[in-house]
Amino acid sequence: MQRLGYPARTIVVFAALLALAVHWFVQPFGKEWIWLSTVGILIVATALVGWRTRRLSHARTQSAPILRALGAATVDIPLSLRTRMPLVLVTGDALASLFDHGAAEPRLVFIGDGAIWLRVDRPQSLPEVALAMRQWRDGQPPDGVVLSVAPALHADEDALAQRLRVARQALADASRIVGARLPGYVAVYQRMTRLTPRDADLGRQWKSVSASAPLIDAHRIEAVIRRAENDSRRDPDARYAAVHAAALASIVGWTQRVVFGTLTDPRQPATPWALYGAGWIDCGPASDAGKPWEQDVQRHTRIAPASVDATPAPWPLPQPLIEAMPRRTAMSPRVAAFAHAVGMMALAAGAAFLGSGRHNAELLDRIHANLDRYALIAADHDDARRDALRSLVADRDELDRYARTGVPLRLSFGLYHGSQLLPALNAAIASYQPPPPPPAVVTLDSMSLFDSGKAKLKPGSTRALVEAVEMIKAHPGKRILIAGHTDDSGDARSNLTLSNARAAALRDWLIEATGIPATQFAVQGYGDTRPIAGNDTSEGRARNRRVEITLVPDTADHTN
């Protein structure tokens, strides 16, 4: 039974929905970015989900034979146990000799020695297989990758180095895809001598070094050689042991220069292998003087090694290499996904608080600025005061709406303090006093009321005063200013006297006609000093000959 593994697509969708909710309801970056950010979030989420879907589908397709073989091989292993058993991917040379064991069809899985060994014929398939194994093992990646190196299968060191660089890139890609560093191991299969030990099992014993950390240094490698030399002194089959120890020292040095150098060279573009172990065994394909290791021996000793026959299959898997394999702390993918979801919610909450704090600061700054602007405008600039007053009324209505219907999310989270400004807004609005209205004015043509040069009302002229009487009666209590004006014909002093006399005559008639006390009237003659048109035309002079009746509101009436 295959478990679900880490729900990466679900987490991506959850993160996208969470980001959209915060962005739309809290608007931490402002309204101007809302649509652009929404499109960006949707594009990124869709791309990630699509990429993940294609990657999983490709991994399952590429790994379908391995998954079937795993299912058949582990059918009797409890599900909880198989996730704890070390699972090692084996790639490189001579995999048929390691896995098939005389079977009619290629074997992809071998279970033994407390581990699951998985065959990967092409190093380029390591990323897909590693991803499929992480799904199969309930989110746990493979425990390591063993690179099988059989030098005798390569024509020269350059051809081998090219294969090693491919394996290096494949392991880097696999580690990146599964999100964990995969420990790397090197197993060298090489016939080191033509001699046959008395105990056939001696030729199938690994000389290895491994650790729970990526540490393959010169001291550890030398320890392998020293142990082989010490064993040769105690071995009853001394001749084989001595030749084997000398050959081992040579193949180990060659491995360090050629294999380790290619896999760990920092000048190469791919991530260096994290080497956790290496092993050598006197077992492998047929070899002769034209193979890479033998050529290296000739360069250093001037002696051509003899040809050797291939070791009959099966060849042993490098079990000693993985005995010190680091063990990962197992965590359920659902638990990890839940922890990630909680972390995302914490980030969303942080963004919401930051956005709410920013919006509240902007709200308070705006209202304070509107209050200050209104307070600085002089009372005689009524247009500017009315404009500022409209802003205050809009602010007051906004805060009042929040008080009645609730504070929006972008201002809430306990950071809203707008209600504290309502009293100040109401006080500023109530303090506004409109300017006094302009006085009501009735302008009468002097020639329709008086004869030329006269200050006595003509008979029948009262009909022209009906509008003035109605205006005065409609505003009882108002002071009445009667001003007389003339054109510039004649003497200026005479014109001033005439205009004042005509205003007085009109006052006397209005007192008699309306019964208004004389104390409410004021009379003023201006002569020709306040023309409203040019005196160089008859039409202009006619307009300048006038009497104006003005109702002046009292200041007390305005303030009340």
Side-chain angles (χ1 to χ4, degrees), residues 44-88:
V44 170
T46 303
L48 288 176
V49 170
W51 173 83
R52 182 67 177 178
T53 300
R54 288 193 300 272
R55 173 64 69 177
L56 289 176
S57 177
H58 182 68
R60 292 192 184 104
T61 301
Q62 294 292 322
S63 307
I66 295 177
L67 292 173
R68 286 194 296 269
L70 271 173
T74 60
V75 66
D76 296 327
I77 301 177
L79 187 63
S80 59
L81 178 60
R82 86 179 182 193
T83 59
R84 295 197 300 269
M85 288 182 66
L87 188 146
V88 184

mmCIF file of all heavy atoms in Angstrom, residues 44-88:
data_model
loop_
_atom_site.group_PDB
_atom_site.id
_atom_site.type_symbol
_atom_site.label_atom_id
_atom_site.label_comp_id
_atom_site.label_asym_id
_atom_site.label_seq_id
_atom_site.Cartn_x
_atom_site.Cartn_y
_atom_site.Cartn_z
ATOM 1 N N VAL A 44 1.660 32.127 -9.884
ATOM 2 C CA VAL A 44 2.698 31.357 -9.186
ATOM 3 C C VAL A 44 2.121 30.056 -8.631
ATOM 4 O O VAL A 44 2.721 28.981 -8.766
ATOM 5 C CB VAL A 44 3.324 32.209 -8.066
ATOM 6 C CG1 VAL A 44 4.226 31.358 -7.192
ATOM 7 C CG2 VAL A 44 4.124 33.360 -8.649
ATOM 8 N N ALA A 45 0.938 30.137 -8.003
ATOM 9 C CA ALA A 45 0.327 28.929 -7.433
ATOM 10 C C ALA A 45 -0.005 27.916 -8.516
ATOM 11 O O ALA A 45 0.257 26.712 -8.370
ATOM 12 C CB ALA A 45 -0.927 29.304 -6.647
ATOM 13 N N THR A 46 -0.578 28.384 -9.621
ATOM 14 C CA THR A 46 -0.910 27.468 -10.717
ATOM 15 C C THR A 46 0.342 26.831 -11.296
ATOM 16 O O THR A 46 0.361 25.625 -11.590
ATOM 17 C CB THR A 46 -1.675 28.227 -11.812
ATOM 18 O OG1 THR A 46 -2.852 28.823 -11.253
ATOM 19 C CG2 THR A 46 -2.078 27.294 -12.933
ATOM 20 N N ALA A 47 1.391 27.633 -11.451
ATOM 21 C CA ALA A 47 2.644 27.088 -12.000
ATOM 22 C C ALA A 47 3.238 26.041 -11.068
ATOM 23 O O ALA A 47 3.697 24.983 -11.512
ATOM 24 C CB ALA A 47 3.643 28.225 -12.244
ATOM 25 N N LEU A 48 3.224 26.305 -9.755
ATOM 26 C CA LEU A 48 3.781 25.346 -8.798
ATOM 27 C C LEU A 48 2.977 24.055 -8.768
ATOM 28 O O LEU A 48 3.544 22.958 -8.752
ATOM 29 C CB LEU A 48 3.834 25.974 -7.404
ATOM 30 C CG LEU A 48 4.891 27.050 -7.182
ATOM 31 C CD1 LEU A 48 4.757 27.652 -5.802
ATOM 32 C CD2 LEU A 48 6.290 26.485 -7.373
ATOM 33 N N VAL A 49 1.645 24.186 -8.750
ATOM 34 C CA VAL A 49 0.807 22.980 -8.734
ATOM 35 C C VAL A 49 0.999 22.188 -10.024
ATOM 36 O O VAL A 49 1.124 20.951 -10.003
ATOM 37 C CB VAL A 49 -0.671 23.360 -8.534
ATOM 38 C CG1 VAL A 49 -1.574 22.154 -8.753
ATOM 39 C CG2 VAL A 49 -0.895 23.917 -7.131
ATOM 40 N N GLY A 50 1.030 22.888 -11.163
ATOM 41 C CA GLY A 50 1.246 22.190 -12.428
ATOM 42 C C GLY A 50 2.603 21.522 -12.493
ATOM 43 O O GLY A 50 2.722 20.365 -12.936
ATOM 44 N N TRP A 51 3.636 22.250 -12.032
ATOM 45 C CA TRP A 51 4.979 21.658 -12.034
ATOM 46 C C TRP A 51 5.042 20.439 -11.136
ATOM 47 O O TRP A 51 5.613 19.406 -11.493
ATOM 48 C CB TRP A 51 5.994 22.699 -11.575
ATOM 49 C CG TRP A 51 7.378 22.141 -11.388
ATOM 50 C CD1 TRP A 51 8.330 21.950 -12.350
ATOM 51 C CD2 TRP A 51 7.959 21.697 -10.158
ATOM 52 N NE1 TRP A 51 9.471 21.423 -11.806
ATOM 53 C CE2 TRP A 51 9.271 21.252 -10.461
ATOM 54 C CE3 TRP A 51 7.503 21.635 -8.845
ATOM 55 C CZ2 TRP A 51 10.121 20.739 -9.478
ATOM 56 C CZ3 TRP A 51 8.349 21.128 -7.873
ATOM 57 C CH2 TRP A 51 9.652 20.690 -8.195
ATOM 58 N N ARG A 52 4.437 20.556 -9.942
ATOM 59 C CA ARG A 52 4.452 19.431 -9.011
ATOM 60 C C ARG A 52 3.687 18.234 -9.580
ATOM 61 O O ARG A 52 4.120 17.085 -9.456
ATOM 62 C CB ARG A 52 3.842 19.860 -7.675
ATOM 63 C CG ARG A 52 3.837 18.789 -6.597
ATOM 64 C CD ARG A 52 5.231 18.459 -6.157
ATOM 65 N NE ARG A 52 5.229 17.490 -5.075
ATOM 66 C CZ ARG A 52 6.315 16.999 -4.518
ATOM 67 N NH1 ARG A 52 7.485 17.419 -4.938
ATOM 68 N NH2 ARG A 52 6.254 16.115 -3.549
ATOM 69 N N THR A 53 2.555 18.498 -10.211
ATOM 70 C CA THR A 53 1.766 17.417 -10.789
ATOM 71 C C THR A 53 2.543 16.712 -11.895
ATOM 72 O O THR A 53 2.579 15.473 -11.957
ATOM 73 C CB THR A 53 0.439 17.973 -11.332
ATOM 74 O OG1 THR A 53 -0.293 18.587 -10.266
ATOM 75 C CG2 THR A 53 -0.401 16.872 -11.939
ATOM 76 N N ARG A 54 3.157 17.495 -12.774
ATOM 77 C CA ARG A 54 3.941 16.885 -13.848
ATOM 78 C C ARG A 54 5.131 16.110 -13.299
ATOM 79 O O ARG A 54 5.457 15.021 -13.794
ATOM 80 C CB ARG A 54 4.421 17.961 -14.827
ATOM 81 C CG ARG A 54 3.326 18.550 -15.695
ATOM 82 C CD ARG A 54 3.910 19.368 -16.833
ATOM 83 N NE ARG A 54 4.711 20.460 -16.343
ATOM 84 C CZ ARG A 54 4.242 21.673 -16.036
ATOM 85 N NH1 ARG A 54 2.945 21.916 -16.175
ATOM 86 N NH2 ARG A 54 5.033 22.637 -15.612
ATOM 87 N N ARG A 55 5.783 16.663 -12.272
ATOM 88 C CA ARG A 55 6.935 15.991 -11.691
ATOM 89 C C ARG A 55 6.533 14.661 -11.068
ATOM 90 O O ARG A 55 7.178 13.627 -11.275
ATOM 91 C CB ARG A 55 7.582 16.906 -10.644
ATOM 92 C CG ARG A 55 8.693 16.257 -9.838
ATOM 93 C CD ARG A 55 9.870 15.867 -10.690
ATOM 94 N NE ARG A 55 10.582 17.039 -11.183
ATOM 95 C CZ ARG A 55 11.686 16.973 -11.907
ATOM 96 N NH1 ARG A 55 12.179 15.804 -12.246
ATOM 97 N NH2 ARG A 55 12.272 18.066 -12.338
ATOM 98 N N LEU A 56 5.428 14.654 -10.287
ATOM 99 C CA LEU A 56 4.980 13.400 -9.667
ATOM 100 C C LEU A 56 4.537 12.392 -10.719
ATOM 101 O O LEU A 56 4.829 11.200 -10.610
ATOM 102 C CB LEU A 56 3.839 13.693 -8.692
ATOM 103 C CG LEU A 56 4.219 14.424 -7.402
ATOM 104 C CD1 LEU A 56 2.975 14.718 -6.584
ATOM 105 C CD2 LEU A 56 5.204 13.600 -6.586
ATOM 106 N N SER A 57 3.814 12.885 -11.724
ATOM 107 C CA SER A 57 3.362 11.974 -12.773
ATOM 108 C C SER A 57 4.546 11.372 -13.513
ATOM 109 O O SER A 57 4.574 10.156 -13.781
ATOM 110 C CB SER A 57 2.449 12.730 -13.750
ATOM 111 O OG SER A 57 2.061 11.900 -14.816
ATOM 112 N N HIS A 58 5.538 12.203 -13.831
ATOM 113 C CA HIS A 58 6.722 11.696 -14.528
ATOM 114 C C HIS A 58 7.493 10.722 -13.647
ATOM 115 O O HIS A 58 7.972 9.677 -14.125
ATOM 116 C CB HIS A 58 7.613 12.864 -14.938
ATOM 117 C CG HIS A 58 8.829 12.454 -15.710
ATOM 118 N ND1 HIS A 58 8.753 11.932 -16.986
ATOM 119 C CD2 HIS A 58 10.157 12.475 -15.388
ATOM 120 C CE1 HIS A 58 9.970 11.656 -17.423
ATOM 121 N NE2 HIS A 58 10.837 11.979 -16.467
ATOM 122 N N ALA A 59 7.601 11.077 -12.351
ATOM 123 C CA ALA A 59 8.326 10.188 -11.433
ATOM 124 C C ALA A 59 7.623 8.844 -11.313
ATOM 125 O O ALA A 59 8.269 7.789 -11.313
ATOM 126 C CB ALA A 59 8.459 10.848 -10.063
ATOM 127 N N ARG A 60 6.303 8.854 -11.211
ATOM 128 C CA ARG A 60 5.568 7.587 -11.105
ATOM 129 C C ARG A 60 5.688 6.785 -12.395
ATOM 130 O O ARG A 60 5.823 5.555 -12.362
ATOM 131 C CB ARG A 60 4.102 7.868 -10.781
ATOM 132 C CG ARG A 60 3.879 8.440 -9.392
ATOM 133 C CD ARG A 60 2.411 8.412 -9.030
ATOM 134 N NE ARG A 60 2.170 9.045 -7.747
ATOM 135 C CZ ARG A 60 1.650 10.252 -7.588
ATOM 136 N NH1 ARG A 60 1.320 10.961 -8.652
ATOM 137 N NH2 ARG A 60 1.470 10.754 -6.392
ATOM 138 N N THR A 61 5.615 7.472 -13.540
ATOM 139 C CA THR A 61 5.733 6.755 -14.810
ATOM 140 C C THR A 61 7.110 6.126 -14.952
ATOM 141 O O THR A 61 7.236 4.951 -15.331
ATOM 142 C CB THR A 61 5.472 7.719 -15.980
ATOM 143 O OG1 THR A 61 4.167 8.275 -15.848
ATOM 144 C CG2 THR A 61 5.577 6.995 -17.303
ATOM 145 N N GLN A 62 8.161 6.914 -14.659
ATOM 146 C CA GLN A 62 9.512 6.395 -14.782
ATOM 147 C C GLN A 62 9.806 5.297 -13.770
ATOM 148 O O GLN A 62 10.591 4.383 -14.037
ATOM 149 C CB GLN A 62 10.528 7.541 -14.600
ATOM 150 C CG GLN A 62 10.488 8.592 -15.689
ATOM 151 C CD GLN A 62 10.956 8.049 -17.023
ATOM 152 O OE1 GLN A 62 11.884 7.260 -17.100
ATOM 153 N NE2 GLN A 62 10.285 8.466 -18.101
ATOM 154 N N SER A 63 9.184 5.389 -12.612
ATOM 155 C CA SER A 63 9.476 4.456 -11.524
ATOM 156 C C SER A 63 8.430 3.363 -11.391
ATOM 157 O O SER A 63 8.459 2.619 -10.403
ATOM 158 C CB SER A 63 9.593 5.215 -10.194
ATOM 159 O OG SER A 63 10.510 6.275 -10.297
ATOM 160 N N ALA A 64 7.498 3.273 -12.347
ATOM 161 C CA ALA A 64 6.430 2.271 -12.236
ATOM 162 C C ALA A 64 6.973 0.861 -12.080
ATOM 163 O O ALA A 64 6.504 0.104 -11.203
ATOM 164 C CB ALA A 64 5.494 2.373 -13.441
ATOM 165 N N PRO A 65 7.963 0.419 -12.878
ATOM 166 C CA PRO A 65 8.488 -0.942 -12.659
ATOM 167 C C PRO A 65 9.100 -1.126 -11.277
ATOM 168 O O PRO A 65 8.920 -2.170 -10.647
ATOM 169 C CB PRO A 65 9.543 -1.091 -13.763
ATOM 170 C CG PRO A 65 9.173 -0.083 -14.800
ATOM 171 C CD PRO A 65 8.591 1.058 -14.048
ATOM 172 N N ILE A 66 9.821 -0.099 -10.801
ATOM 173 C CA ILE A 66 10.433 -0.202 -9.479
ATOM 174 C C ILE A 66 9.360 -0.267 -8.404
ATOM 175 O O ILE A 66 9.464 -1.050 -7.450
ATOM 176 C CB ILE A 66 11.382 0.986 -9.246
ATOM 177 C CG1 ILE A 66 12.552 0.927 -10.227
ATOM 178 C CG2 ILE A 66 11.908 0.992 -7.814
ATOM 179 C CD1 ILE A 66 13.502 2.094 -10.121
ATOM 180 N N LEU A 67 8.316 0.559 -8.539
ATOM 181 C CA LEU A 67 7.249 0.543 -7.539
ATOM 182 C C LEU A 67 6.537 -0.809 -7.507
ATOM 183 O O LEU A 67 6.196 -1.317 -6.426
ATOM 184 C CB LEU A 67 6.253 1.667 -7.832
ATOM 185 C CG LEU A 67 6.768 3.096 -7.631
ATOM 186 C CD1 LEU A 67 5.746 4.112 -8.109
ATOM 187 C CD2 LEU A 67 7.114 3.335 -6.167
ATOM 188 N N ARG A 68 6.309 -1.402 -8.682
ATOM 189 C CA ARG A 68 5.690 -2.726 -8.702
ATOM 190 C C ARG A 68 6.600 -3.762 -8.039
ATOM 191 O O ARG A 68 6.143 -4.618 -7.272
ATOM 192 C CB ARG A 68 5.381 -3.121 -10.142
ATOM 193 C CG ARG A 68 4.203 -2.381 -10.742
ATOM 194 C CD ARG A 68 3.735 -3.065 -12.027
ATOM 195 N NE ARG A 68 4.761 -3.018 -13.062
ATOM 196 C CZ ARG A 68 4.861 -2.043 -13.957
ATOM 197 N NH1 ARG A 68 4.010 -1.020 -13.924
ATOM 198 N NH2 ARG A 68 5.796 -2.071 -14.884
ATOM 199 N N ALA A 69 7.902 -3.671 -8.372
ATOM 200 C CA ALA A 69 8.843 -4.608 -7.764
ATOM 201 C C ALA A 69 8.933 -4.409 -6.249
ATOM 202 O O ALA A 69 9.014 -5.377 -5.480
ATOM 203 C CB ALA A 69 10.222 -4.455 -8.408
ATOM 204 N N LEU A 70 8.907 -3.148 -5.824
ATOM 205 C CA LEU A 70 8.924 -2.873 -4.383
ATOM 206 C C LEU A 70 7.693 -3.437 -3.698
ATOM 207 O O LEU A 70 7.775 -4.021 -2.611
ATOM 208 C CB LEU A 70 8.998 -1.357 -4.153
ATOM 209 C CG LEU A 70 10.376 -0.730 -4.071
ATOM 210 C CD1 LEU A 70 10.256 0.783 -4.015
ATOM 211 C CD2 LEU A 70 11.114 -1.229 -2.847
ATOM 212 N N GLY A 71 6.538 -3.232 -4.326
ATOM 213 C CA GLY A 71 5.318 -3.756 -3.733
ATOM 214 C C GLY A 71 5.360 -5.252 -3.582
ATOM 215 O O GLY A 71 4.944 -5.810 -2.543
ATOM 216 N N ALA A 72 5.890 -5.948 -4.605
ATOM 217 C CA ALA A 72 5.960 -7.405 -4.528
ATOM 218 C C ALA A 72 7.006 -7.860 -3.512
ATOM 219 O O ALA A 72 6.800 -8.839 -2.781
ATOM 220 C CB ALA A 72 6.287 -7.979 -5.905
ATOM 221 N N ALA A 73 8.146 -7.144 -3.452
ATOM 222 C CA ALA A 73 9.229 -7.563 -2.561
ATOM 223 C C ALA A 73 8.934 -7.265 -1.104
ATOM 224 O O ALA A 73 9.459 -7.942 -0.206
ATOM 225 C CB ALA A 73 10.533 -6.903 -2.983
ATOM 226 N N THR A 74 8.137 -6.242 -0.827
ATOM 227 C CA THR A 74 7.893 -5.836 0.561
ATOM 228 C C THR A 74 6.487 -6.168 1.028
ATOM 229 O O THR A 74 6.017 -5.621 2.023
ATOM 230 C CB THR A 74 8.115 -4.320 0.697
ATOM 231 O OG1 THR A 74 7.200 -3.620 -0.169
ATOM 232 C CG2 THR A 74 9.541 -3.933 0.339
ATOM 233 N N VAL A 75 5.809 -7.063 0.327
ATOM 234 C CA VAL A 75 4.428 -7.364 0.682
ATOM 235 C C VAL A 75 4.321 -7.946 2.089
ATOM 236 O O VAL A 75 3.307 -7.768 2.771
ATOM 237 C CB VAL A 75 3.818 -8.324 -0.370
ATOM 238 C CG1 VAL A 75 4.506 -9.680 -0.331
ATOM 239 C CG2 VAL A 75 2.322 -8.470 -0.162
ATOM 240 N N ASP A 76 5.374 -8.643 2.539
ATOM 241 C CA ASP A 76 5.338 -9.255 3.867
ATOM 242 C C ASP A 76 5.953 -8.373 4.948
ATOM 243 O O ASP A 76 6.018 -8.774 6.110
ATOM 244 C CB ASP A 76 6.080 -10.603 3.835
ATOM 245 C CG ASP A 76 5.396 -11.604 2.910
ATOM 246 O OD1 ASP A 76 4.154 -11.552 2.821
ATOM 247 O OD2 ASP A 76 6.103 -12.407 2.289
ATOM 248 N N ILE A 77 6.425 -7.175 4.571
ATOM 249 C CA ILE A 77 7.041 -6.269 5.549
ATOM 250 C C ILE A 77 5.987 -5.290 6.039
ATOM 251 O O ILE A 77 5.320 -4.640 5.236
ATOM 252 C CB ILE A 77 8.219 -5.504 4.925
ATOM 253 C CG1 ILE A 77 9.281 -6.491 4.424
ATOM 254 C CG2 ILE A 77 8.829 -4.542 5.932
ATOM 255 C CD1 ILE A 77 10.443 -5.820 3.722
ATOM 256 N N PRO A 78 5.788 -5.177 7.352
ATOM 257 C CA PRO A 78 4.792 -4.213 7.867
ATOM 258 C C PRO A 78 5.101 -2.805 7.370
ATOM 259 O O PRO A 78 6.265 -2.416 7.189
ATOM 260 C CB PRO A 78 4.930 -4.330 9.385
ATOM 261 C CG PRO A 78 5.542 -5.677 9.615
ATOM 262 C CD PRO A 78 6.431 -5.933 8.439
ATOM 263 N N LEU A 79 4.037 -2.040 7.179
ATOM 264 C CA LEU A 79 4.190 -0.688 6.641
ATOM 265 C C LEU A 79 5.061 0.185 7.529
ATOM 266 O O LEU A 79 5.898 0.955 7.054
ATOM 267 C CB LEU A 79 2.811 -0.060 6.456
ATOM 268 C CG LEU A 79 2.757 1.278 5.743
ATOM 269 C CD1 LEU A 79 3.264 1.137 4.329
ATOM 270 C CD2 LEU A 79 1.328 1.822 5.757
ATOM 271 N N SER A 80 4.884 0.082 8.844
ATOM 272 C CA SER A 80 5.683 0.907 9.758
ATOM 273 C C SER A 80 7.147 0.506 9.741
ATOM 274 O O SER A 80 8.026 1.342 9.952
ATOM 275 C CB SER A 80 5.122 0.789 11.181
ATOM 276 O OG SER A 80 5.149 -0.565 11.610
ATOM 277 N N LEU A 81 7.432 -0.770 9.438
ATOM 278 C CA LEU A 81 8.822 -1.224 9.433
ATOM 279 C C LEU A 81 9.545 -0.807 8.167
ATOM 280 O O LEU A 81 10.721 -0.435 8.206
ATOM 281 C CB LEU A 81 8.873 -2.749 9.591
ATOM 282 C CG LEU A 81 10.269 -3.388 9.547
ATOM 283 C CD1 LEU A 81 11.136 -2.824 10.666
ATOM 284 C CD2 LEU A 81 10.161 -4.901 9.643
ATOM 285 N N ARG A 82 8.854 -0.846 7.047
ATOM 286 C CA ARG A 82 9.532 -0.553 5.800
ATOM 287 C C ARG A 82 9.967 0.905 5.703
ATOM 288 O O ARG A 82 10.918 1.225 5.002
ATOM 289 C CB ARG A 82 8.660 -0.928 4.617
ATOM 290 C CG ARG A 82 7.696 0.126 4.180
ATOM 291 C CD ARG A 82 6.902 -0.315 2.989
ATOM 292 N NE ARG A 82 6.008 0.755 2.570
ATOM 293 C CZ ARG A 82 5.021 0.584 1.716
ATOM 294 N NH1 ARG A 82 4.781 -0.603 1.221
ATOM 295 N NH2 ARG A 82 4.260 1.599 1.367
ATOM 296 N N THR A 83 9.271 1.808 6.404
ATOM 297 C CA THR A 83 9.710 3.207 6.392
ATOM 298 C C THR A 83 10.930 3.414 7.277
ATOM 299 O O THR A 83 11.614 4.427 7.145
ATOM 300 C CB THR A 83 8.570 4.135 6.860
ATOM 301 O OG1 THR A 83 8.166 3.762 8.175
ATOM 302 C CG2 THR A 83 7.385 4.039 5.926
ATOM 303 N N ARG A 84 11.185 2.451 8.194
ATOM 304 C CA ARG A 84 12.356 2.573 9.068
ATOM 305 C C ARG A 84 13.560 1.806 8.537
ATOM 306 O O ARG A 84 14.686 2.073 8.955
ATOM 307 C CB ARG A 84 12.015 2.092 10.473
ATOM 308 C CG ARG A 84 10.969 2.939 11.173
ATOM 309 C CD ARG A 84 10.969 2.670 12.669
ATOM 310 N NE ARG A 84 10.683 1.265 12.982
ATOM 311 C CZ ARG A 84 9.470 0.788 13.200
ATOM 312 N NH1 ARG A 84 8.417 1.606 13.128
ATOM 313 N NH2 ARG A 84 9.285 -0.477 13.487
ATOM 314 N N MET A 85 13.316 0.860 7.660
ATOM 315 C CA MET A 85 14.441 0.130 7.074
ATOM 316 C C MET A 85 15.228 1.055 6.153
ATOM 317 O O MET A 85 14.646 1.809 5.381
ATOM 318 C CB MET A 85 13.937 -1.081 6.276
ATOM 319 C CG MET A 85 13.407 -2.214 7.118
ATOM 320 S SD MET A 85 12.887 -3.615 6.071
ATOM 321 C CE MET A 85 14.477 -4.119 5.386
ATOM 322 N N PRO A 86 16.575 0.987 6.200
ATOM 323 C CA PRO A 86 17.348 1.799 5.257
ATOM 324 C C PRO A 86 16.992 1.434 3.819
ATOM 325 O O PRO A 86 16.896 0.254 3.470
ATOM 326 C CB PRO A 86 18.799 1.428 5.583
ATOM 327 C CG PRO A 86 18.750 0.908 6.978
ATOM 328 C CD PRO A 86 17.425 0.234 7.133
ATOM 329 N N LEU A 87 16.785 2.439 3.001
ATOM 330 C CA LEU A 87 16.513 2.240 1.575
ATOM 331 C C LEU A 87 17.633 2.912 0.808
ATOM 332 O O LEU A 87 17.850 4.113 0.944
ATOM 333 C CB LEU A 87 15.160 2.816 1.183
ATOM 334 C CG LEU A 87 14.695 2.504 -0.235
ATOM 335 C CD1 LEU A 87 13.180 2.348 -0.284
ATOM 336 C CD2 LEU A 87 15.117 3.579 -1.220
ATOM 337 N N VAL A 88 18.356 2.117 0.032
ATOM 338 C CA VAL A 88 19.547 2.603 -0.660
ATOM 339 C C VAL A 88 19.337 2.457 -2.158
ATOM 340 O O VAL A 88 18.941 1.388 -2.639
ATOM 341 C CB VAL A 88 20.798 1.818 -0.215
ATOM 342 C CG1 VAL A 88 22.046 2.404 -0.866
ATOM 343 C CG2 VAL A 88 20.930 1.844 1.305
#
